[in-house]
Amino acid sequence: MGEEAKVVELPASPEKKRRKLLIIIAASIVVLSLVAVLILSFSPLLAAKNIEVTGTKLVNSTKLTESLEPLKGTPLPRISESKVQELLGDQPAIEQIVVKAQMPDTLVVEVIEAVPVAILVDGDKEYLVSENGKKLRTLGKDDKTKLPKVKASDETKDPEKFKLLTGILSTVDESVLQEVSTASLSKAGFAELSLPKKRTLIWGDASKSALKNEVAEIFVKNLSDKYAAKTTIDVTNPENPVVY
């Protein structure tokens, strides 16, 4: 036989080289990203040194800040909303929290509170309550909060009935609600609201609230002489309100 055949390696195609290079670059990016995450997650340079609580009106921000003291020294990327919520504990007035990291060392906790719609009067104690009937906080003697007062009764002790009343009150615009001195729930499940000058606003249920508010605002703001002897407005059916 003749000389042994020589094997000549052909150069890799440009496309194959490009694919190999892209794979190497992608793998490098993944590795670098993981390293960066690990560094940020455990680096003392990003540890929380300051804690700010914002958005509070019903709860004491100083006490909330004190509750979050154990988080100091923890790297900001490792502080979760669930951990903050755990430290704050059960706070009826807090509906939601938003946790933000303010680099390099500040943790900001934004508090979103429940909106009070009434004051529950139970003996010598008064409580701000939310639209779902939950007690948000106790009012002090010098508190000037202006909201409808609901006297404790068998109805208010029934969670479903009380929630029905507070839910209806949550549909009343603030401009009208601030004119209401007391609120009660009729046997038919309708809210009845007491206004200045011994006038009564029969609101009904929570339906058609936008139109009810329009009618009620007119009644509250523009009582003319011809209505002087008429003390009640019924907006249960706001398309045809009744004044008597």
Side-chain angles (χ1 to χ4, degrees):
M1 294 182 66
E3 292 184 9
E4 293 183 1
K6 294 182 179 179
V7 178
V8 179
E9 291 187 7
L10 296 176
S13 67
E15 183 62 30
K16 189 174 181 181
K17 285 184 176 179
R18 191 179 298 110
R19 283 201 301 268
K20 186 176 181 181
L21 180 60
L22 289 174
I23 291 173
I24 293 173
I25 292 173
S28 300
I29 290 173
V30 171
V31 171
L32 290 173
S33 298
L34 288 173
V35 171
V37 168
L38 289 173
I39 291 174
L40 291 174
S41 297
F42 294 95
S43 173
L45 297 176
L46 295 179
K49 295 179 182 178
N50 305 302
I51 298 175
E52 295 180 6
V53 176
T54 66
T56 57
K57 290 183 179 178
L58 303 178
V59 292
N60 188 310
S61 61
T62 301
K63 289 184 178 179
L64 294 186
T65 303
E66 290 173 355
S67 299
L68 299 175
E69 282 290 315
L71 294 176
K72 285 188 174 179
T74 304
L76 291 172
R78 294 177 57 195
I79 299 176
S80 64
E81 289 187 357
S82 60
K83 182 59 178 178
V84 172
Q85 188 67 67
E86 179 185 337
L87 289 173
L88 293 180
D90 183 26
Q91 300 278 348
I94 298 178
E95 282 197 339
Q96 185 183 348
I97 58 167
V98 179
V99 175
K100 303 174 185 176
Q102 194 174 83
M103 299 302 180
D105 57 12
T106 301
L107 176 71
V108 179
V109 179
E110 180 186 354
V111 175
I112 301 173
E113 295 181 328
V115 178
V117 298
I119 298 171
L120 175 63
V121 181
D122 191 354
D124 59 354
K125 291 187 177 181
E126 295 186 346
Y127 306 91
L128 278 181
V129 293
S130 66
E131 65 178 286
N132 58 12
K134 186 183 294 185
K135 293 178 181 177
L136 303 179
R137 74 176 172 100
T138 305
L139 289 179
K141 292 182 179 179
D142 298 326
D143 197 295
K144 304 299 182 183
T145 302
K146 188 165 177 54
L147 284 171
K149 290 188 175 183
V150 179
K151 189 174 181 181
S153 63
D154 291 339
E155 282 70 25
T156 63
K157 291 175 184 176
D158 182 325
E160 291 305 314
K161 288 184 178 179
F162 189 44
K163 187 176 179 180
L164 175 61
L165 175 57
T166 53
I168 294 172
L169 290 174
S170 72
T171 69
V172 184
D173 284 351
E174 186 178 354
S175 59
V176 176
L177 204 62
Q178 290 198 345
E179 297 295 330
V180 178
S181 56
T182 62
S184 60
L185 191 69
S186 70
K187 291 183 179 180
F190 288 171
E192 296 184 359
L193 316 178
S194 297
L195 297 171
K197 299 180 181 179
K198 297 183 179 180
R199 285 170 167 74
T200 301
L201 173 60
I202 300 178
W203 190 265
D205 57 22
S207 65
K208 301 180 181 179
S209 59
L211 186 53
K212 287 179 179 180
N213 278 297
E214 289 181 18
V215 176
E217 284 181 4
I218 294 172
F219 182 77
V220 169
K221 293 179 181 179
N222 301 306
L223 276 174
S224 61
D225 291 340
K226 65 179 179 179
Y227 293 137
K230 299 180 180 180
T231 61
T232 302
I233 180 171
D234 187 338
V235 295
T236 303
N237 180 8
E239 288 90 349
N240 295 292
V242 179
V243 180
Y244 55 91

